[in-house]
Amino acid sequence: MPEPTRTRYEQIMLDHSHHPDDAAALLHAAARTARTAIPADTEHEQAIRDVAAGVAAPALIGATFWMLREAHHRGLERLRFLSRDGQIFYELARRLAPLASVDLDLEYVYSSRMTWSLAATNPRHLDQESWLFNSFVKSNASDLCARLGLPADDYTPLLHSAGVSLDPDARADHPAHADAMRRFLTLPQVTEAAAARIAHTRDLLIAYAADHDLTDSRTGLVDAGWTGRMITALLTACDATESSRPHVLFWGHEPRPTGGIDPDLVTAYMYNTGTGQGMDLRVPDAPFVVETFCMGDHGIVTGYQRFSGGVEPILQAPTNTAAQAWGLRTYRSTLYAVADELTEVPTDDLRPLIHQLMVAFWRHPTRQEATTWGKYPYDSDPTGTAARPLARPLDPDNPVRGDRAWLNGALALSTPETQSQYPKLASEDDLHGAPETD
């Protein structure tokens, strides 16, 4: 198919450039060279490649250079990239560290909200543990059991006795369903079984963290970001002291009023809703687009197990088959090609450019971009059980967002009448993609 001489993202980079060797010019040259070098035989592959080169690569590469510089300035010895969102930062850091003249111990380590949160949970207060209920798609009965590592079929009688509905659509965002789930969590049989699972998981996490220096003060933990609750869970489970807490480097930070991480530990690249830093650089629903750009190539971590050399992760699946089928290979190949094309470290602040590129894609997608990227199997659930297309058309007869992560992608796929009607019916939070408050 015919290739564009210049994509709209490459034009944005050119418009940001004021001289041939500035950061925008360097990124433009790398992105354009990579785009033209990566084959794309279909419109689907072309949309993946062009967004990868023109939007995702600047957003991730800019953050990676910042992370490497921050680690160097802080005198850190190592960076640990947390699965799965940290995988792409690890791969980019391996490629870019020599260019940045940074010599650090870089390692990709296996983590998950489910495993680390479970290890830090108090079994006597399961009904007060928000992580058991919350995500973009709230928990149902099966999710609740999965997060605790309890076979749902074995606990069906107890679920019934507590009044918990087994309907997959009966979720914790409904007060009556949430109350029934809390009753279930206070049953002695449940707390006893959960306590054993929690103790086992905690022991393994403590050993895994020690093997990989996760709670050392000379370590930086790297993740896409958001609340910091997962890292708080790590520190709680490992009983980390004031002097043995790692630094935390996020793409973006959205702390909550309770249960979050110590703000003194966290530094964020693009924005921090807790301090107000960079709020003009936050695109609506930023976590959804960044997590999509950080898609991993393996399943979530469901736990750990001992082997002769120490502790290793247990993966739900060795490969992320849904992402592979969507086009992960084309996406990753393009990102790596952009990184490999860079011959200098950009010294200008890339964040305003990154913001404009992300707004162009995330807020104003083309129909083809919405079609292609809307098919990405986005899953925010800790147990990996709530995958949804990133965007799908709104129902003309009932135009509500529901579980559509990419609102503007969904609108781009909807009828003109629905596009016109939706803003009149939607909440301000949905329209502006405000940070969650749970």
Side-chain angles (χ1 to χ4, degrees):
M1 68 179 58
E3 294 283 0
T5 304
R6 182 180 297 138
T7 69
R8 61 185 181 130
Y9 307 118
E10 291 163 9
Q11 185 62 55
I12 290 172
M13 295 181 211
L14 278 182
D15 292 343
H16 263 261
S17 177
H18 300 295
H19 58 82
D21 296 322
D22 62 15
L26 290 173
L27 272 179
H28 169 265
R32 187 177 186 281
T33 301
R35 175 180 64 82
T36 57
I38 299 296
D41 297 329
T42 65
E43 290 183 338
H44 179 87
E45 290 177 338
Q46 183 173 312
I48 292 174
R49 181 201 60 192
D50 292 358
V51 172
V55 187
L60 300 176
I61 287 172
T64 303
F65 274 127
W66 170 81
M67 290 166 179
L68 293 170
R69 287 195 299 267
E70 277 292 304
H72 178 71
H73 292 157
R74 291 165 181 255
L76 302 184
E77 295 182 2
R78 64 189 72 85
L79 289 177
R80 298 293 182 255
F81 299 81
L82 307 182
S83 68
R84 290 184 292 175
D85 290 349
Q87 187 181 48
I88 190 59
F89 290 113
Y90 169 69
E91 294 295 343
L92 291 172
R94 290 198 306 118
R95 289 166 168 80
L96 298 174
L99 185 62
S101 301
V102 172
D103 184 16
L104 291 165
D105 174 10
L106 307 176
E107 185 183 7
Y108 179 60
V109 296
Y110 291 88
S111 64
S112 69
R113 282 180 291 157
M114 179 176 70
T115 302
W116 286 15
S117 297
L118 182 66
T121 292
N122 184 337
R124 296 187 297 275
H125 302 294
L126 294 178
D127 58 324
Q128 300 173 28
E129 294 285 347
S130 61
W131 75 274
L132 289 172
F133 304 95
N134 292 337
S135 191
F136 178 58
V137 179
K138 305 300 183 185
S139 293
N140 58 24
S142 177
D143 298 331
L144 189 69
C145 290
R147 295 185 189 193
L148 288 170
L150 305 178
D153 290 346
D154 294 351
Y155 286 83
T156 297
L158 290 175
L159 288 164
H160 280 308
S161 73
V164 179
S165 171
L166 301 185
D167 182 345
D169 294 327
R171 296 186 175 274
D173 50 359
H174 190 287
H177 296 317
D179 288 343
M181 291 178 187
R182 290 190 177 93
R183 287 195 297 272
F184 169 75
L185 294 173
T186 62
L187 297 175
Q189 302 96 314
V190 175
T191 57
E192 182 179 350
R197 171 77 171 156
I198 290 166
H200 177 68
T201 303
R202 180 179 298 144
D203 288 345
L204 290 170
L205 174 56
I206 290 171
Y208 185 80
D211 288 346
H212 299 275
D213 300 305
L214 299 188
T215 60
D216 191 286
S217 61
R218 295 159 297 180
T219 296
L221 301 182
V222 173
D223 202 354
W226 326 133
T227 69
R229 285 173 174 164
M230 188 177 82
I231 293 174
T232 296
L234 168 72
L235 301 180
T236 299
C238 295
D239 197 21
T241 64
E242 189 76 20
S243 62
S244 63
R245 299 188 302 173
H247 298 247
V248 180
L249 305 177
F250 282 163
W251 192 94
H253 187 29
E254 300 192 0
R256 304 294 190 260
T258 60
I261 195 169
D262 182 344
D264 292 337
L265 297 180
V266 180
T267 306
Y269 175 56
M270 286 294 288
Y271 69 90
N272 183 333
T273 61
T275 64
Q277 168 229 326
M279 288 302 292
D280 58 328
L281 301 174
R282 182 188 183 275
V283 297
D285 296 316
F288 300 149
V289 59
V290 176
E291 288 174 3
T292 298
F293 287 166
C294 292
M295 62 186 82
D297 66 7
H298 61 80
I300 66 169
V301 175
T302 59
Y304 300 100
Q305 62 188 4
R306 295 191 184 277
F307 73 111
S308 58
V311 175
E312 63 183 4
I314 301 171
L315 302 180
Q316 188 178 66
T319 59
N320 186 348
T321 54
Q324 296 283 6
W326 171 81
L328 177 60
R329 180 184 297 275
T330 297
Y331 174 72
R332 284 280 186 94
S333 297
T334 305
L335 289 182
Y336 299 156
V338 176
D340 292 342
E341 286 296 329
L342 287 171
T343 57
E344 298 179 42
V345 177
T347 56
D348 304 330
D349 183 0
L350 289 172
R351 292 175 300 169
L353 171 58
I354 291 168
H355 176 256
Q356 187 173 348
L357 292 168
M358 293 183 73
V359 166
F361 166 64
W362 192 243
R363 295 284 279 174
H364 307 287
T366 66
R367 176 83 180 191
Q368 184 58 53
E369 288 171 346
T371 299
T372 295
W373 286 83
K375 292 176 181 177
Y376 174 72
Y378 179 77
D379 192 350
S380 70
D381 189 82
T383 60
T385 58
R388 304 285 192 277
L390 190 65
R392 63 186 191 280
L394 297 173
D395 181 351
D397 298 324
N398 184 29
V400 297
R401 179 178 185 173
D403 56 8
R404 295 166 177 83
W406 187 13
L407 176 59
N408 289 88
L411 288 170
L413 297 173
S414 301
T415 65
E417 293 77 15
T418 303
Q419 293 172 4
S420 174
Q421 184 181 13
Y422 179 79
K424 303 172 186 176
L425 305 174
S427 69
E428 286 297 311
D429 283 353
D430 265 353
L431 289 175
H432 299 294
E436 295 290 336
T437 57
D438 62 273

PDB file of all heavy atoms in Angstrom, residues 40-55:
ATOM      1  N   ALA A  40       4.977  -2.986   6.559  1.00  0.00           N
ATOM      2  CA  ALA A  40       3.588  -3.055   7.014  1.00  0.00           C
ATOM      3  C   ALA A  40       2.731  -3.366   5.792  1.00  0.00           C
ATOM      4  O   ALA A  40       2.532  -2.504   4.933  1.00  0.00           O
ATOM      5  CB  ALA A  40       3.168  -1.739   7.661  1.00  0.00           C
ATOM      6  N   ASP A  41       2.233  -4.597   5.723  1.00  0.00           N
ATOM      7  CA  ASP A  41       1.540  -5.057   4.521  1.00  0.00           C
ATOM      8  C   ASP A  41       0.040  -4.777   4.536  1.00  0.00           C
ATOM      9  O   ASP A  41      -0.633  -4.938   3.521  1.00  0.00           O
ATOM     10  CB  ASP A  41       1.756  -6.564   4.334  1.00  0.00           C
ATOM     11  CG  ASP A  41       3.223  -6.907   4.122  1.00  0.00           C
ATOM     12  OD1 ASP A  41       3.942  -6.066   3.541  1.00  0.00           O
ATOM     13  OD2 ASP A  41       3.658  -7.993   4.556  1.00  0.00           O
ATOM     14  N   THR A  42      -0.486  -4.395   5.678  1.00  0.00           N
ATOM     15  CA  THR A  42      -1.917  -4.133   5.785  1.00  0.00           C
ATOM     16  C   THR A  42      -2.134  -2.781   6.468  1.00  0.00           C
ATOM     17  O   THR A  42      -1.223  -2.226   7.103  1.00  0.00           O
ATOM     18  CB  THR A  42      -2.621  -5.216   6.620  1.00  0.00           C
ATOM     19  OG1 THR A  42      -2.131  -5.153   7.971  1.00  0.00           O
ATOM     20  CG2 THR A  42      -2.349  -6.612   6.056  1.00  0.00           C
ATOM     21  N   GLU A  43      -3.340  -2.250   6.350  1.00  0.00           N
ATOM     22  CA  GLU A  43      -3.665  -1.001   7.039  1.00  0.00           C
ATOM     23  C   GLU A  43      -3.561  -1.170   8.551  1.00  0.00           C
ATOM     24  O   GLU A  43      -3.184  -0.233   9.256  1.00  0.00           O
ATOM     25  CB  GLU A  43      -5.076  -0.546   6.651  1.00  0.00           C
ATOM     26  CG  GLU A  43      -5.206  -0.070   5.210  1.00  0.00           C
ATOM     27  CD  GLU A  43      -6.597   0.443   4.905  1.00  0.00           C
ATOM     28  OE1 GLU A  43      -7.548   0.062   5.633  1.00  0.00           O
ATOM     29  OE2 GLU A  43      -6.748   1.215   3.948  1.00  0.00           O
ATOM     30  N   HIS A  44      -3.897  -2.358   9.042  1.00  0.00           N
ATOM     31  CA  HIS A  44      -3.786  -2.653  10.469  1.00  0.00           C
ATOM     32  C   HIS A  44      -2.327  -2.533  10.924  1.00  0.00           C
ATOM     33  O   HIS A  44      -2.029  -1.843  11.911  1.00  0.00           O
ATOM     34  CB  HIS A  44      -4.330  -4.060  10.736  1.00  0.00           C
ATOM     35  CG  HIS A  44      -4.262  -4.496  12.168  1.00  0.00           C
ATOM     36  ND1 HIS A  44      -5.256  -4.210  13.086  1.00  0.00           N
ATOM     37  CD2 HIS A  44      -3.314  -5.203  12.841  1.00  0.00           C
ATOM     38  CE1 HIS A  44      -4.930  -4.717  14.259  1.00  0.00           C
ATOM     39  NE2 HIS A  44      -3.751  -5.328  14.142  1.00  0.00           N
ATOM     40  N   GLU A  45      -1.426  -3.192  10.206  1.00  0.00           N
ATOM     41  CA  GLU A  45      -0.011  -3.137  10.576  1.00  0.00           C
ATOM     42  C   GLU A  45       0.545  -1.724  10.430  1.00  0.00           C
ATOM     43  O   GLU A  45       1.368  -1.280  11.229  1.00  0.00           O
ATOM     44  CB  GLU A  45       0.793  -4.111   9.708  1.00  0.00           C
ATOM     45  CG  GLU A  45       0.514  -5.574  10.015  1.00  0.00           C
ATOM     46  CD  GLU A  45       1.279  -6.501   9.084  1.00  0.00           C
ATOM     47  OE1 GLU A  45       1.673  -6.048   7.975  1.00  0.00           O
ATOM     48  OE2 GLU A  45       1.492  -7.670   9.452  1.00  0.00           O
ATOM     49  N   GLN A  46       0.094  -1.006   9.412  1.00  0.00           N
ATOM     50  CA  GLN A  46       0.582   0.353   9.199  1.00  0.00           C
ATOM     51  C   GLN A  46       0.164   1.259  10.349  1.00  0.00           C
ATOM     52  O   GLN A  46       0.954   2.087  10.818  1.00  0.00           O
ATOM     53  CB  GLN A  46       0.047   0.903   7.882  1.00  0.00           C
ATOM     54  CG  GLN A  46       0.567   2.300   7.549  1.00  0.00           C
ATOM     55  CD  GLN A  46       0.153   2.757   6.165  1.00  0.00           C
ATOM     56  OE1 GLN A  46       0.300   2.023   5.191  1.00  0.00           O
ATOM     57  NE2 GLN A  46      -0.387   3.974   6.074  1.00  0.00           N
ATOM     58  N   ALA A  47      -1.062   1.109  10.826  1.00  0.00           N
ATOM     59  CA  ALA A  47      -1.526   1.940  11.943  1.00  0.00           C
ATOM     60  C   ALA A  47      -0.755   1.617  13.220  1.00  0.00           C
ATOM     61  O   ALA A  47      -0.451   2.521  14.016  1.00  0.00           O
ATOM     62  CB  ALA A  47      -3.022   1.739  12.162  1.00  0.00           C
ATOM     63  N   ILE A  48      -0.441   0.342  13.434  1.00  0.00           N
ATOM     64  CA  ILE A  48       0.381  -0.026  14.593  1.00  0.00           C
ATOM     65  C   ILE A  48       1.759   0.610  14.474  1.00  0.00           C
ATOM     66  O   ILE A  48       2.256   1.253  15.405  1.00  0.00           O
ATOM     67  CB  ILE A  48       0.506  -1.557  14.704  1.00  0.00           C
ATOM     68  CG1 ILE A  48      -0.844  -2.183  15.073  1.00  0.00           C
ATOM     69  CG2 ILE A  48       1.572  -1.929  15.749  1.00  0.00           C
ATOM     70  CD1 ILE A  48      -0.835  -3.693  15.062  1.00  0.00           C
ATOM     71  N   ARG A  49       2.388   0.428  13.328  1.00  0.00           N
ATOM     72  CA  ARG A  49       3.748   0.921  13.129  1.00  0.00           C
ATOM     73  C   ARG A  49       3.827   2.439  13.223  1.00  0.00           C
ATOM     74  O   ARG A  49       4.722   2.998  13.879  1.00  0.00           O
ATOM     75  CB  ARG A  49       4.249   0.462  11.762  1.00  0.00           C
ATOM     76  CG  ARG A  49       5.673   0.883  11.433  1.00  0.00           C
ATOM     77  CD  ARG A  49       5.909   0.854   9.936  1.00  0.00           C
ATOM     78  NE  ARG A  49       5.000   1.771   9.237  1.00  0.00           N
ATOM     79  CZ  ARG A  49       4.833   1.776   7.922  1.00  0.00           C
ATOM     80  NH1 ARG A  49       5.493   0.919   7.162  1.00  0.00           N
ATOM     81  NH2 ARG A  49       4.000   2.646   7.360  1.00  0.00           N
ATOM     82  N   ASP A  50       2.889   3.139  12.584  1.00  0.00           N
ATOM     83  CA  ASP A  50       2.979   4.597  12.537  1.00  0.00           C
ATOM     84  C   ASP A  50       2.765   5.227  13.907  1.00  0.00           C
ATOM     85  O   ASP A  50       3.437   6.204  14.263  1.00  0.00           O
ATOM     86  CB  ASP A  50       1.965   5.150  11.535  1.00  0.00           C
ATOM     87  CG  ASP A  50       2.310   4.796  10.096  1.00  0.00           C
ATOM     88  OD1 ASP A  50       3.365   4.145   9.884  1.00  0.00           O
ATOM     89  OD2 ASP A  50       1.533   5.154   9.190  1.00  0.00           O
ATOM     90  N   VAL A  51       1.846   4.684  14.699  1.00  0.00           N
ATOM     91  CA  VAL A  51       1.638   5.198  16.060  1.00  0.00           C
ATOM     92  C   VAL A  51       2.808   4.812  16.954  1.00  0.00           C
ATOM     93  O   VAL A  51       3.239   5.587  17.811  1.00  0.00           O
ATOM     94  CB  VAL A  51       0.296   4.693  16.631  1.00  0.00           C
ATOM     95  CG1 VAL A  51       0.162   5.069  18.110  1.00  0.00           C
ATOM     96  CG2 VAL A  51      -0.867   5.270  15.837  1.00  0.00           C
ATOM     97  N   ALA A  52       3.346   3.617  16.756  1.00  0.00           N
ATOM     98  CA  ALA A  52       4.510   3.205  17.539  1.00  0.00           C
ATOM     99  C   ALA A  52       5.682   4.144  17.306  1.00  0.00           C
ATOM    100  O   ALA A  52       6.353   4.588  18.244  1.00  0.00           O
ATOM    101  CB  ALA A  52       4.907   1.771  17.183  1.00  0.00           C
ATOM    102  N   ALA A  53       5.954   4.468  16.048  1.00  0.00           N
ATOM    103  CA  ALA A  53       7.086   5.335  15.723  1.00  0.00           C
ATOM    104  C   ALA A  53       6.834   6.783  16.098  1.00  0.00           C
ATOM    105  O   ALA A  53       7.739   7.476  16.591  1.00  0.00           O
ATOM    106  CB  ALA A  53       7.401   5.246  14.226  1.00  0.00           C
ATOM    107  N   GLY A  54       5.593   7.237  15.893  1.00  0.00           N
ATOM    108  CA  GLY A  54       5.311   8.657  16.039  1.00  0.00           C
ATOM    109  C   GLY A  54       4.808   9.099  17.387  1.00  0.00           C
ATOM    110  O   GLY A  54       4.881  10.291  17.708  1.00  0.00           O
ATOM    111  N   VAL A  55       4.297   8.175  18.196  1.00  0.00           N
ATOM    112  CA  VAL A  55       3.723   8.558  19.489  1.00  0.00           C
ATOM    113  C   VAL A  55       4.339   7.751  20.629  1.00  0.00           C
ATOM    114  O   VAL A  55       4.901   8.317  21.579  1.00  0.00           O
ATOM    115  CB  VAL A  55       2.186   8.366  19.496  1.00  0.00           C
ATOM    116  CG1 VAL A  55       1.593   8.929  20.789  1.00  0.00           C
ATOM    117  CG2 VAL A  55       1.539   9.035  18.291  1.00  0.00           C
TER     118      VAL A  55
END
